[in-house]
Amino acid sequence: MPPPRDSSELMKFASSRLGKTVFDLEDVTVQAGPKVLLKHVTWQLGPGDRIGLVGVNGAGKTSLLRAMAEAARSEGEQQPAGGQVRVGRTVKLAYLSQEVAELDPDWRVLEAVQRVRERVDLGKGREMTAGQLCETFGFGKEKQWTPVGDLSGGERRRLQLLRLLMDEPNVLFLDEPTNDLDIETLTQLEDVLDGWPGSMIVISHDRFFVERTTDRVFALLGDGALRMLPRGIDEYLERRQRMEEAAAANSPAPAARTAAETPEKSAADVRAAKKELQKIERQLDKVSEKETKLHAQIADNATDFAKVAELDAELRALAGQRDELELRWLELAEDA
Ligand SMILES: Nc1ncnc2c1ncn2[C@@H]1O[C@H](COP(=O)(O)OP(=O)(O)OP(=O)(O)O)[C@@H](O)[C@H]1O
Ligand SMILES: [Mg+2]
């Protein structure tokens, strides 16, 4: 167990100020090879915007973030297949990609952190050394000497996040940040993001993570549009179901609008509804916790096929439970 961490410390990572323009997409087309994933996307990410981005596997979520990140990295030189991505001059982007980024496996944890910075500014004249920061992120003295190559998937993800945040970005792109994270790190990441003053886009299949960390949900529904969903993930699930039904009847969904629309429900309504749903959410958390544990056990027993099969069966049973809970959650959400 990592030592208890003071999340309030973490919230004070410095981040330079953002101007009015952050990302400005105009009539953008995104392709992967010859495949057109998005077209005619006109959209703005403003300062302080917190966006959840959802869509099925292969919808183009990663490709969109990548196109935006490339424009930022190249200072506008590199543009998508069509249209224009304008990047604000004040933007300092940190991008946690879906693939676990390569770190030299021989580096020690502490060294990997020190290579970003020896110390970070926490504001009000307070500083933290790389070592202290490691501790805060659950890498105790001993762990700090572990070669990066020996870290677990979750630990490596945690290290990457730490490295990203200490570089004082003001825009965060997180592509599936919760993969491999244990519950505690997940909670802690949510705390860090709660106090995050910059703009962010989070891609995640973890609906609760998206709901906790972002304010608005946009979806790629496979029709080339980027669409704002005023009712968030619920609406996404409903739409997907409708699309599946429509696909069965072979009638295409109506054309997309990318402009932001005002939410139909007040924030208070949503909060009230969520309260009633908390019980189910807690149950779902427990399921996630068990799943994380099982994933770890599977990793630990990777060479024992019988054991892996057994654990895998347990995982599938849990997935069934999760589906049921999510369904109940949806029904309740409609009543609420
Ligand atoms: N270089 C490439 N050439 C051809 N096709 C590609 C290339 N890169 C990605 N694709 C395809 O483009 C589609 C979109 O990929 P992308 O990674 O953006 O999806 P995603 O929404 O992030 O999916 P996931 O949820 O699985 O991460 C996929 O069908 C993928 O196979
Ligand atoms: Mg992806």
Side-chain angles (χ1 to χ4, degrees):
M1 273 282 267
R5 296 165 225 145
D6 182 356
S7 55
S8 61
E9 288 293 309
L10 300 175
M11 291 187 200
K12 287 169 192 138
F13 271 118
S15 76
S16 38
R17 273 181 57 83
L18 269 174
K20 221 168 128 196
T21 302
V22 181
F23 278 89
D24 223 333
L25 278 65
E26 184 147 1
D27 200 23
V28 162
T29 298
V30 177
Q31 288 183 205
K35 194 167 162 189
V36 176
L37 299 167
L38 284 152
K39 47 183 191 283
H40 304 306
V41 171
T42 295
W43 181 56
Q44 288 172 350
L45 179 73
D49 283 354
R50 302 163 72 91
I51 305 299
L53 186 58
V54 298
V56 295
N57 295 130
K61 305 179 295 294
T62 297
S63 303
L64 174 61
L65 280 202
R66 215 179 270 151
M68 291 169 73
E70 267 164 25
R73 201 165 21 228
S74 65
E75 292 180 349
E77 288 276 308
Q78 219 164 317
Q79 289 291 331
Q84 240 231 324
V85 177
R86 285 204 310 134
V87 186
R89 266 181 304 162
T90 53
V91 166
K92 191 163 176 205
L93 175 67
Y95 180 14
L96 181 73
S97 71
Q98 193 168 14
E99 306 82 42
V100 173
E102 268 132 74
L103 288 170
D104 188 326
D106 292 332
W107 287 354
R108 312 280 166 161
V109 167
L110 181 61
E111 184 186 358
V113 172
Q114 282 171 332
R115 277 173 184 267
V116 182
R117 263 160 214 253
E118 294 277 346
R119 43 190 66 240
V120 290
D121 182 6
L122 295 171
K124 297 191 182 134
R126 292 178 319 135
E127 284 192 334
M128 245 193 201
T129 64
Q132 287 168 328
L133 206 59
C134 280
E135 299 239 3
T136 319
F137 260 72
F139 295 108
K141 287 252 151 48
E142 226 163 280
K143 252 297 163 358
Q144 291 174 23
W145 291 98
T146 305
V148 168
D150 292 349
L151 293 178
S152 74
E155 287 167 338
R156 208 168 313 169
R157 204 90 180 137
R158 176 147 36 100
L159 176 60
Q160 277 176 271
L161 278 165
L162 168 56
R163 281 167 51 94
L164 277 184
L165 288 170
M166 74 190 293
D167 209 20
E168 302 180 0
N170 52 24
V171 181
L172 268 180
F173 287 178
L174 302 176
D175 197 344
E176 296 289 356
T178 65
N179 284 0
D180 303 321
L181 289 188
D182 57 78
I183 295 292
E184 206 197 335
T185 308
L186 201 61
T187 310
Q188 185 216 9
L189 175 59
E190 284 167 6
D191 286 347
V192 172
L193 295 180
D194 260 347
W196 176 254
S199 307
M200 61 183 209
I201 302 181
V202 175
I203 297 175
S204 178
H205 288 103
D206 179 340
R207 64 177 300 170
F208 298 104
F209 186 79
V210 170
E211 287 175 344
R212 277 174 206 152
T213 57
T214 66
D215 296 327
R216 278 183 298 155
V217 171
F218 281 76
L220 303 184
L221 292 166
D223 56 1
L226 174 68
R227 194 171 315 163
M228 151 99 175
L229 302 182
R231 288 185 298 109
I233 306 273
D234 284 347
E235 185 170 356
Y236 170 64
L237 294 176
E238 287 164 22
R239 275 179 188 257
R240 260 188 57 192
Q241 186 164 9
R242 256 184 279 142
M243 281 176 71
E244 275 160 26
E245 285 161 10
N250 200 19
S251 63
R257 293 205 347 153
T258 53
E261 293 155 314
T262 44
E264 294 160 17
K265 275 189 181 173
S266 77
D269 284 346
V270 173
R271 264 200 302 279
K274 281 200 173 150
K275 214 169 171 185
E276 291 172 45
L277 296 164
Q278 268 173 2
K279 190 178 150 207
I280 290 186
E281 292 180 2
R282 275 197 297 274
Q283 285 175 300
L284 276 160
D285 280 346
K286 286 226 179 76
V287 169
S288 295
E289 215 165 320
K290 280 189 201 154
E291 281 176 333
T292 305
K293 233 185 240 160
L294 278 170
H295 279 300
Q297 280 177 296
I298 287 175
D300 287 339
N301 293 285
T303 52
D304 184 347
F305 293 110
K307 183 89 187 158
V308 167
E310 188 187 309
L311 293 167
D312 198 55
E314 273 185 65
L315 254 185
R316 267 193 302 248
L318 275 175
Q321 266 182 42
R322 167 189 290 280
D323 282 350
E324 267 176 43
L325 282 169
E326 287 187 343
L327 212 73
R328 272 223 318 273
W329 198 97
L330 263 180
E331 286 165 4
L332 270 171
E334 263 176 33
D335 294 345

PDB file of all heavy atoms in Angstrom, residues 43-71:
ATOM      1  N   TRP A  43     -14.952  23.116 -34.085  1.00  0.00           N
ATOM      2  CA  TRP A  43     -15.070  22.934 -32.645  1.00  0.00           C
ATOM      3  C   TRP A  43     -13.990  23.737 -31.932  1.00  0.00           C
ATOM      4  O   TRP A  43     -12.901  23.903 -32.467  1.00  0.00           O
ATOM      5  CB  TRP A  43     -14.904  21.440 -32.320  1.00  0.00           C
ATOM      6  CG  TRP A  43     -15.037  21.107 -30.869  1.00  0.00           C
ATOM      7  CD1 TRP A  43     -16.096  21.384 -30.065  1.00  0.00           C
ATOM      8  CD2 TRP A  43     -14.076  20.419 -30.063  1.00  0.00           C
ATOM      9  NE1 TRP A  43     -15.870  20.897 -28.806  1.00  0.00           N
ATOM     10  CE2 TRP A  43     -14.642  20.307 -28.777  1.00  0.00           C
ATOM     11  CE3 TRP A  43     -12.818  19.884 -30.297  1.00  0.00           C
ATOM     12  CZ2 TRP A  43     -13.976  19.686 -27.718  1.00  0.00           C
ATOM     13  CZ3 TRP A  43     -12.157  19.269 -29.254  1.00  0.00           C
ATOM     14  CH2 TRP A  43     -12.731  19.163 -27.981  1.00  0.00           C
ATOM     15  N   GLN A  44     -14.342  24.219 -30.751  1.00  0.00           N
ATOM     16  CA  GLN A  44     -13.349  24.940 -29.972  1.00  0.00           C
ATOM     17  C   GLN A  44     -13.188  24.345 -28.593  1.00  0.00           C
ATOM     18  O   GLN A  44     -14.165  24.024 -27.929  1.00  0.00           O
ATOM     19  CB  GLN A  44     -13.772  26.408 -29.813  1.00  0.00           C
ATOM     20  CG  GLN A  44     -13.636  27.179 -31.090  1.00  0.00           C
ATOM     21  CD  GLN A  44     -14.231  28.556 -30.982  1.00  0.00           C
ATOM     22  OE1 GLN A  44     -14.916  28.877 -30.000  1.00  0.00           O
ATOM     23  NE2 GLN A  44     -13.985  29.365 -31.987  1.00  0.00           N
ATOM     24  N   LEU A  45     -11.926  24.219 -28.206  1.00  0.00           N
ATOM     25  CA  LEU A  45     -11.616  23.894 -26.812  1.00  0.00           C
ATOM     26  C   LEU A  45     -11.136  25.201 -26.189  1.00  0.00           C
ATOM     27  O   LEU A  45     -10.136  25.766 -26.631  1.00  0.00           O
ATOM     28  CB  LEU A  45     -10.511  22.833 -26.746  1.00  0.00           C
ATOM     29  CG  LEU A  45     -10.076  22.432 -25.335  1.00  0.00           C
ATOM     30  CD1 LEU A  45     -11.135  21.571 -24.654  1.00  0.00           C
ATOM     31  CD2 LEU A  45      -8.744  21.681 -25.365  1.00  0.00           C
ATOM     32  N   GLY A  46     -11.882  25.680 -25.207  1.00  0.00           N
ATOM     33  CA  GLY A  46     -11.545  26.968 -24.604  1.00  0.00           C
ATOM     34  C   GLY A  46     -10.764  26.794 -23.314  1.00  0.00           C
ATOM     35  O   GLY A  46     -10.594  25.673 -22.822  1.00  0.00           O
ATOM     36  N   PRO A  47     -10.293  27.904 -22.744  1.00  0.00           N
ATOM     37  CA  PRO A  47      -9.547  27.825 -21.491  1.00  0.00           C
ATOM     38  C   PRO A  47     -10.420  27.274 -20.372  1.00  0.00           C
ATOM     39  O   PRO A  47     -11.544  27.726 -20.184  1.00  0.00           O
ATOM     40  CB  PRO A  47      -9.134  29.282 -21.220  1.00  0.00           C
ATOM     41  CG  PRO A  47      -9.986  30.121 -22.095  1.00  0.00           C
ATOM     42  CD  PRO A  47     -10.413  29.272 -23.253  1.00  0.00           C
ATOM     43  N   GLY A  48      -9.935  26.284 -19.674  1.00  0.00           N
ATOM     44  CA  GLY A  48     -10.662  25.710 -18.544  1.00  0.00           C
ATOM     45  C   GLY A  48     -11.720  24.699 -18.950  1.00  0.00           C
ATOM     46  O   GLY A  48     -12.383  24.120 -18.082  1.00  0.00           O
ATOM     47  N   ASP A  49     -11.909  24.459 -20.235  1.00  0.00           N
ATOM     48  CA  ASP A  49     -12.897  23.452 -20.673  1.00  0.00           C
ATOM     49  C   ASP A  49     -12.442  22.061 -20.256  1.00  0.00           C
ATOM     50  O   ASP A  49     -11.280  21.704 -20.387  1.00  0.00           O
ATOM     51  CB  ASP A  49     -13.049  23.477 -22.202  1.00  0.00           C
ATOM     52  CG  ASP A  49     -13.896  24.645 -22.672  1.00  0.00           C
ATOM     53  OD1 ASP A  49     -14.455  25.347 -21.810  1.00  0.00           O
ATOM     54  OD2 ASP A  49     -13.974  24.849 -23.898  1.00  0.00           O
ATOM     55  N   ARG A  50     -13.395  21.277 -19.779  1.00  0.00           N
ATOM     56  CA  ARG A  50     -13.100  19.894 -19.360  1.00  0.00           C
ATOM     57  C   ARG A  50     -14.028  18.971 -20.129  1.00  0.00           C
ATOM     58  O   ARG A  50     -15.216  18.902 -19.858  1.00  0.00           O
ATOM     59  CB  ARG A  50     -13.319  19.752 -17.857  1.00  0.00           C
ATOM     60  CG  ARG A  50     -12.461  20.717 -17.043  1.00  0.00           C
ATOM     61  CD  ARG A  50     -12.996  20.848 -15.629  1.00  0.00           C
ATOM     62  NE  ARG A  50     -12.740  19.641 -14.870  1.00  0.00           N
ATOM     63  CZ  ARG A  50     -11.645  19.458 -14.144  1.00  0.00           C
ATOM     64  NH1 ARG A  50     -10.724  20.393 -14.067  1.00  0.00           N
ATOM     65  NH2 ARG A  50     -11.462  18.343 -13.484  1.00  0.00           N
ATOM     66  N   ILE A  51     -13.443  18.283 -21.090  1.00  0.00           N
ATOM     67  CA  ILE A  51     -14.220  17.517 -22.051  1.00  0.00           C
ATOM     68  C   ILE A  51     -13.954  16.027 -21.918  1.00  0.00           C
ATOM     69  O   ILE A  51     -12.800  15.598 -21.864  1.00  0.00           O
ATOM     70  CB  ILE A  51     -13.822  17.934 -23.487  1.00  0.00           C
ATOM     71  CG1 ILE A  51     -13.968  19.446 -23.695  1.00  0.00           C
ATOM     72  CG2 ILE A  51     -14.640  17.157 -24.517  1.00  0.00           C
ATOM     73  CD1 ILE A  51     -15.368  19.971 -23.506  1.00  0.00           C
ATOM     74  N   GLY A  52     -15.022  15.251 -21.869  1.00  0.00           N
ATOM     75  CA  GLY A  52     -14.897  13.808 -21.971  1.00  0.00           C
ATOM     76  C   GLY A  52     -15.180  13.421 -23.418  1.00  0.00           C
ATOM     77  O   GLY A  52     -16.115  13.931 -24.019  1.00  0.00           O
ATOM     78  N   LEU A  53     -14.345  12.555 -23.968  1.00  0.00           N
ATOM     79  CA  LEU A  53     -14.520  12.149 -25.359  1.00  0.00           C
ATOM     80  C   LEU A  53     -14.793  10.655 -25.399  1.00  0.00           C
ATOM     81  O   LEU A  53     -13.987   9.853 -24.915  1.00  0.00           O
ATOM     82  CB  LEU A  53     -13.247  12.492 -26.144  1.00  0.00           C
ATOM     83  CG  LEU A  53     -13.258  12.294 -27.651  1.00  0.00           C
ATOM     84  CD1 LEU A  53     -14.372  13.098 -28.303  1.00  0.00           C
ATOM     85  CD2 LEU A  53     -11.904  12.705 -28.232  1.00  0.00           C
ATOM     86  N   VAL A  54     -15.975  10.289 -25.931  1.00  0.00           N
ATOM     87  CA  VAL A  54     -16.341   8.872 -25.947  1.00  0.00           C
ATOM     88  C   VAL A  54     -16.647   8.402 -27.367  1.00  0.00           C
ATOM     89  O   VAL A  54     -16.872   9.206 -28.267  1.00  0.00           O
ATOM     90  CB  VAL A  54     -17.557   8.585 -25.029  1.00  0.00           C
ATOM     91  CG1 VAL A  54     -17.241   8.912 -23.589  1.00  0.00           C
ATOM     92  CG2 VAL A  54     -18.789   9.378 -25.484  1.00  0.00           C
ATOM     93  N   GLY A  55     -16.656   7.117 -27.528  1.00  0.00           N
ATOM     94  CA  GLY A  55     -16.928   6.514 -28.834  1.00  0.00           C
ATOM     95  C   GLY A  55     -16.420   5.087 -28.820  1.00  0.00           C
ATOM     96  O   GLY A  55     -15.549   4.749 -28.021  1.00  0.00           O
ATOM     97  N   VAL A  56     -16.965   4.282 -29.714  1.00  0.00           N
ATOM     98  CA  VAL A  56     -16.562   2.872 -29.734  1.00  0.00           C
ATOM     99  C   VAL A  56     -15.114   2.736 -30.203  1.00  0.00           C
ATOM    100  O   VAL A  56     -14.538   3.674 -30.730  1.00  0.00           O
ATOM    101  CB  VAL A  56     -17.468   2.020 -30.660  1.00  0.00           C
ATOM    102  CG1 VAL A  56     -18.880   1.971 -30.121  1.00  0.00           C
ATOM    103  CG2 VAL A  56     -17.444   2.560 -32.077  1.00  0.00           C
ATOM    104  N   ASN A  57     -14.550   1.551 -30.016  1.00  0.00           N
ATOM    105  CA  ASN A  57     -13.200   1.266 -30.491  1.00  0.00           C
ATOM    106  C   ASN A  57     -13.120   1.566 -31.981  1.00  0.00           C
ATOM    107  O   ASN A  57     -13.983   1.137 -32.748  1.00  0.00           O
ATOM    108  CB  ASN A  57     -12.818  -0.209 -30.273  1.00  0.00           C
ATOM    109  CG  ASN A  57     -12.741  -0.573 -28.804  1.00  0.00           C
ATOM    110  OD1 ASN A  57     -13.321  -1.554 -28.388  1.00  0.00           O
ATOM    111  ND2 ASN A  57     -12.051   0.221 -28.015  1.00  0.00           N
ATOM    112  N   GLY A  58     -12.098   2.301 -32.350  1.00  0.00           N
ATOM    113  CA  GLY A  58     -11.893   2.579 -33.766  1.00  0.00           C
ATOM    114  C   GLY A  58     -12.655   3.781 -34.288  1.00  0.00           C
ATOM    115  O   GLY A  58     -12.591   4.099 -35.472  1.00  0.00           O
ATOM    116  N   ALA A  59     -13.388   4.474 -33.412  1.00  0.00           N
ATOM    117  CA  ALA A  59     -14.181   5.632 -33.851  1.00  0.00           C
ATOM    118  C   ALA A  59     -13.291   6.797 -34.287  1.00  0.00           C
ATOM    119  O   ALA A  59     -13.714   7.639 -35.079  1.00  0.00           O
ATOM    120  CB  ALA A  59     -15.116   6.076 -32.736  1.00  0.00           C
ATOM    121  N   GLY A  60     -12.086   6.853 -33.748  1.00  0.00           N
ATOM    122  CA  GLY A  60     -11.161   7.925 -34.134  1.00  0.00           C
ATOM    123  C   GLY A  60     -10.801   8.880 -33.011  1.00  0.00           C
ATOM    124  O   GLY A  60     -10.270   9.959 -33.252  1.00  0.00           O
ATOM    125  N   LYS A  61     -11.067   8.490 -31.767  1.00  0.00           N
ATOM    126  CA  LYS A  61     -10.785   9.355 -30.621  1.00  0.00           C
ATOM    127  C   LYS A  61      -9.294   9.671 -30.528  1.00  0.00           C
ATOM    128  O   LYS A  61      -8.892  10.828 -30.438  1.00  0.00           O
ATOM    129  CB  LYS A  61     -11.263   8.681 -29.321  1.00  0.00           C
ATOM    130  CG  LYS A  61     -12.723   8.275 -29.355  1.00  0.00           C
ATOM    131  CD  LYS A  61     -13.156   7.599 -28.073  1.00  0.00           C
ATOM    132  CE  LYS A  61     -12.483   6.272 -27.787  1.00  0.00           C
ATOM    133  NZ  LYS A  61     -12.826   5.196 -28.755  1.00  0.00           N
ATOM    134  N   THR A  62      -8.507   8.609 -30.553  1.00  0.00           N
ATOM    135  CA  THR A  62      -7.057   8.792 -30.471  1.00  0.00           C
ATOM    136  C   THR A  62      -6.544   9.594 -31.665  1.00  0.00           C
ATOM    137  O   THR A  62      -5.708  10.485 -31.515  1.00  0.00           O
ATOM    138  CB  THR A  62      -6.354   7.419 -30.409  1.00  0.00           C
ATOM    139  OG1 THR A  62      -6.773   6.750 -29.218  1.00  0.00           O
ATOM    140  CG2 THR A  62      -4.841   7.567 -30.386  1.00  0.00           C
ATOM    141  N   SER A  63      -7.078   9.300 -32.847  1.00  0.00           N
ATOM    142  CA  SER A  63      -6.636  10.001 -34.055  1.00  0.00           C
ATOM    143  C   SER A  63      -6.912  11.499 -33.949  1.00  0.00           C
ATOM    144  O   SER A  63      -6.100  12.315 -34.372  1.00  0.00           O
ATOM    145  CB  SER A  63      -7.324   9.435 -35.288  1.00  0.00           C
ATOM    146  OG  SER A  63      -7.078   8.054 -35.389  1.00  0.00           O
ATOM    147  N   LEU A  64      -8.060  11.861 -33.377  1.00  0.00           N
ATOM    148  CA  LEU A  64      -8.394  13.272 -33.218  1.00  0.00           C
ATOM    149  C   LEU A  64      -7.409  13.956 -32.269  1.00  0.00           C
ATOM    150  O   LEU A  64      -6.863  15.011 -32.582  1.00  0.00           O
ATOM    151  CB  LEU A  64      -9.836  13.417 -32.693  1.00  0.00           C
ATOM    152  CG  LEU A  64     -10.278  14.838 -32.347  1.00  0.00           C
ATOM    153  CD1 LEU A  64     -10.224  15.747 -33.568  1.00  0.00           C
ATOM    154  CD2 LEU A  64     -11.683  14.851 -31.748  1.00  0.00           C
ATOM    155  N   LEU A  65      -7.186  13.342 -31.115  1.00  0.00           N
ATOM    156  CA  LEU A  65      -6.237  13.939 -30.161  1.00  0.00           C
ATOM    157  C   LEU A  65      -4.856  14.061 -30.782  1.00  0.00           C
ATOM    158  O   LEU A  65      -4.157  15.050 -30.603  1.00  0.00           O
ATOM    159  CB  LEU A  65      -6.127  13.093 -28.891  1.00  0.00           C
ATOM    160  CG  LEU A  65      -7.198  13.222 -27.827  1.00  0.00           C
ATOM    161  CD1 LEU A  65      -6.668  12.748 -26.485  1.00  0.00           C
ATOM    162  CD2 LEU A  65      -7.693  14.651 -27.699  1.00  0.00           C
ATOM    163  N   ARG A  66      -4.483  13.022 -31.517  1.00  0.00           N
ATOM    164  CA  ARG A  66      -3.157  13.014 -32.126  1.00  0.00           C
ATOM    165  C   ARG A  66      -3.020  14.160 -33.132  1.00  0.00           C
ATOM    166  O   ARG A  66      -2.005  14.847 -33.161  1.00  0.00           O
ATOM    167  CB  ARG A  66      -2.919  11.666 -32.802  1.00  0.00           C
ATOM    168  CG  ARG A  66      -1.477  11.215 -32.712  1.00  0.00           C
ATOM    169  CD  ARG A  66      -1.290   9.876 -33.362  1.00  0.00           C
ATOM    170  NE  ARG A  66      -1.473   8.774 -32.428  1.00  0.00           N
ATOM    171  CZ  ARG A  66      -1.898   7.569 -32.774  1.00  0.00           C
ATOM    172  NH1 ARG A  66      -2.227   7.310 -34.035  1.00  0.00           N
ATOM    173  NH2 ARG A  66      -1.995   6.622 -31.873  1.00  0.00           N
ATOM    174  N   ALA A  67      -4.077  14.354 -33.937  1.00  0.00           N
ATOM    175  CA  ALA A  67      -4.033  15.440 -34.930  1.00  0.00           C
ATOM    176  C   ALA A  67      -3.895  16.788 -34.233  1.00  0.00           C
ATOM    177  O   ALA A  67      -3.140  17.657 -34.675  1.00  0.00           O
ATOM    178  CB  ALA A  67      -5.297  15.402 -35.788  1.00  0.00           C
ATOM    179  N   MET A  68      -4.622  16.952 -33.125  1.00  0.00           N
ATOM    180  CA  MET A  68      -4.542  18.214 -32.385  1.00  0.00           C
ATOM    181  C   MET A  68      -3.159  18.374 -31.766  1.00  0.00           C
ATOM    182  O   MET A  68      -2.570  19.454 -31.801  1.00  0.00           O
ATOM    183  CB  MET A  68      -5.638  18.256 -31.312  1.00  0.00           C
ATOM    184  CG  MET A  68      -7.041  18.372 -31.905  1.00  0.00           C
ATOM    185  SD  MET A  68      -8.358  18.099 -30.696  1.00  0.00           S
ATOM    186  CE  MET A  68      -8.274  19.607 -29.725  1.00  0.00           C
ATOM    187  N   ALA A  69      -2.646  17.278 -31.210  1.00  0.00           N
ATOM    188  CA  ALA A  69      -1.336  17.338 -30.565  1.00  0.00           C
ATOM    189  C   ALA A  69      -0.236  17.622 -31.589  1.00  0.00           C
ATOM    190  O   ALA A  69       0.708  18.363 -31.310  1.00  0.00           O
ATOM    191  CB  ALA A  69      -1.040  16.029 -29.833  1.00  0.00           C
ATOM    192  N   GLU A  70      -0.393  17.063 -32.780  1.00  0.00           N
ATOM    193  CA  GLU A  70       0.616  17.303 -33.822  1.00  0.00           C
ATOM    194  C   GLU A  70       0.627  18.766 -34.232  1.00  0.00           C
ATOM    195  O   GLU A  70       1.694  19.345 -34.433  1.00  0.00           O
ATOM    196  CB  GLU A  70       0.351  16.416 -35.042  1.00  0.00           C
ATOM    197  CG  GLU A  70       1.132  15.116 -34.974  1.00  0.00           C
ATOM    198  CD  GLU A  70       0.621  14.068 -35.939  1.00  0.00           C
ATOM    199  OE1 GLU A  70       0.014  14.445 -36.964  1.00  0.00           O
ATOM    200  OE2 GLU A  70       0.826  12.876 -35.650  1.00  0.00           O
ATOM    201  N   ALA A  71      -0.561  19.343 -34.355  1.00  0.00           N
ATOM    202  CA  ALA A  71      -0.629  20.764 -34.703  1.00  0.00           C
ATOM    203  C   ALA A  71       0.054  21.596 -33.625  1.00  0.00           C
ATOM    204  O   ALA A  71       0.771  22.552 -33.916  1.00  0.00           O
ATOM    205  CB  ALA A  71      -2.080  21.194 -34.874  1.00  0.00           C
TER     206      ALA A  71
END
